[in-house]
Amino acid sequence: MTQAKIKDINHVAIIMDGNGRWAEARGLDRLDGHMRGARMVKKIVRASKTLGVKHLTLYAFSTENWKRSEKEVSGLMRIFRRYILSESADMLAEGVRLKFIGKRDELDDKLTSLMNWVEGQTAQNSTLNLTIALNYGGRDELVRASRKMAEAVKNGDLKPEDITENTISNYLDTAGTPDPDLVIRTSGEFRTSNFLPWQSSYSEFAFIDESWPDFTVALYEQAISNFRRRERRFGSVIGK
Ligand code: IPE
Ligand code: IPE
Ligand code: MG
């Protein structure tokens, strides 16, 4: 494997965790933490472009997050709508292509129409591919992909013996996006919480103590420079 291959960073995926604790520690409402978190997104999107990251995937809401209070869930949905409305012009101007992954049919119509609209608006952009995982769960994604494959087999469009790892990748929401090189999780938790299980099989991981609202471009750069120093073996023996 060449040195350049080892150091390439094409796709960063981030589990933006810790908004709620950040707010609670300051006597604020959890939604204040989510609003601070949304502001951080803009900084990280800009920094990604500077650092040469081509794909950035952000975990915004999991299929398990519906277990939270109605107030927090509806507040988050409002933040997502506002984020799309307030950021779309800048994203368009800055070459950002925005896409969403996750189970869309459980989201309300106001939000899904904005998601569809902004995806269409930014479809021609290619400087940075920003994917937001919204009502995303890796297991749910695999269930939906399996159902689609089963339908294709039933209709005679796919033969069971032709199903390969590539076929499965192509049935996932992330079809066409390379696997993440680096997955970052903020706020000190050492778990992936159903984020990109198939796609991150060979990703490097960075677990950062700071909560998402306290994340900084400097911490982001540090995670990327640590990544560049790691040796990715993909099951082989380097140098042999
Ligand atoms: C991450 O922050 C954002 C979402 C899950 C929507 P949290 O809300 O999970 O913050 P903590 O982990 O409770 O501090
Ligand atoms: C993962 O964080 C989901 C997002 C960051 C959107 P959670 O806070 O929901 O995960 P757990 O509950 O700590 O595993
Ligand atoms: Mg959390």
Side-chain angles (χ1 to χ4, degrees):
M1 193 174 294
T2 64
Q3 197 65 8
K5 183 81 191 154
I6 294 165
K7 288 179 192 298
D8 269 355
I9 185 139
N10 193 26
H11 184 177
V12 178
I14 307 182
I15 304 171
M16 309 183 288
D17 195 22
N19 296 344
R21 277 166 287 168
W22 179 91
E24 283 164 12
R26 287 159 182 78
L28 300 169
D29 193 275
R30 291 178 62 85
L31 285 171
D32 294 318
H34 294 312
M35 282 188 272
R36 278 292 281 253
R39 269 193 259 158
M40 181 55 61
V41 169
K42 188 168 187 147
K43 286 191 199 156
I44 296 308
V45 168
R46 291 230 165 108
S48 299
K49 279 182 29 178
T50 316
L51 292 161
V53 172
K54 295 294 288 176
H55 299 268
L56 175 67
T57 301
L58 302 175
Y59 203 6
F61 191 88
S62 78
T63 46
E64 288 71 38
N65 287 147
W66 297 104
K67 294 175 195 162
R68 298 183 179 202
S69 71
E70 204 279 320
K71 178 181 173 231
E72 183 167 351
V73 170
S74 60
L76 278 164
M77 298 299 154
R78 193 166 58 241
I79 290 170
F80 300 144
R81 286 199 302 271
R82 284 194 194 149
Y83 175 80
I84 297 172
L85 282 169
S86 67
E87 298 307 315
S88 58
D90 279 0
M91 282 193 270
L92 197 56
E94 291 174 17
V96 177
R97 177 174 191 176
L98 181 56
K99 276 195 205 168
F100 295 90
I101 54 170
K103 201 177 187 181
R104 232 173 261 210
D105 58 14
E106 287 175 356
L107 298 169
D108 79 46
D109 292 347
K110 259 197 290 185
L111 178 57
T112 50
S113 12
L114 278 171
M115 289 158 68
N116 295 334
W117 170 78
V118 77
E119 282 181 337
Q121 285 283 306
T122 61
Q124 303 309 319
N125 283 351
S126 58
T127 312
L128 176 73
N129 294 284
L130 173 62
T131 301
I132 300 200
L134 212 170
N135 195 23
Y136 174 87
R139 289 183 174 184
D140 170 71
E141 181 188 37
L142 282 162
V143 168
R144 288 186 287 106
S146 306
R147 286 189 184 148
K148 278 187 255 167
M149 277 189 287
E151 282 295 331
V153 168
K154 194 167 80 181
N155 299 335
D157 298 328
L158 181 67
K159 291 199 193 98
E161 60 272 27
D162 289 342
I163 297 176
T164 62
E165 291 188 8
N166 265 338
T167 319
I168 295 176
S169 293
N170 288 332
Y171 272 87
L172 296 175
D173 296 350
T174 49
T177 304
D179 289 340
D181 299 294
L182 174 66
V183 178
I184 298 173
R185 181 173 189 145
T186 57
S187 98
E189 307 294 353
F190 292 85
R191 54 179 174 263
T192 56
S193 304
N194 210 2
F195 187 46
L196 303 175
W198 172 272
Q199 300 87 336
S200 66
S201 314
Y202 264 102
S203 302
E204 299 288 325
F205 283 82
F207 295 99
I208 309 233
D209 285 336
E210 280 78 0
S211 62
W212 178 247
D214 282 337
F215 195 58
T216 58
V217 171
L219 285 168
Y220 187 37
E221 285 171 352
Q222 199 179 70
I224 290 181
S225 82
N226 289 344
F227 164 86
R228 290 191 205 278
R229 279 199 292 274
R230 292 189 202 166
E231 193 180 73
R232 299 181 82 189
R233 298 193 196 98
F234 300 101
S236 71
V237 180
I238 294 286
K240 297 273 157 116

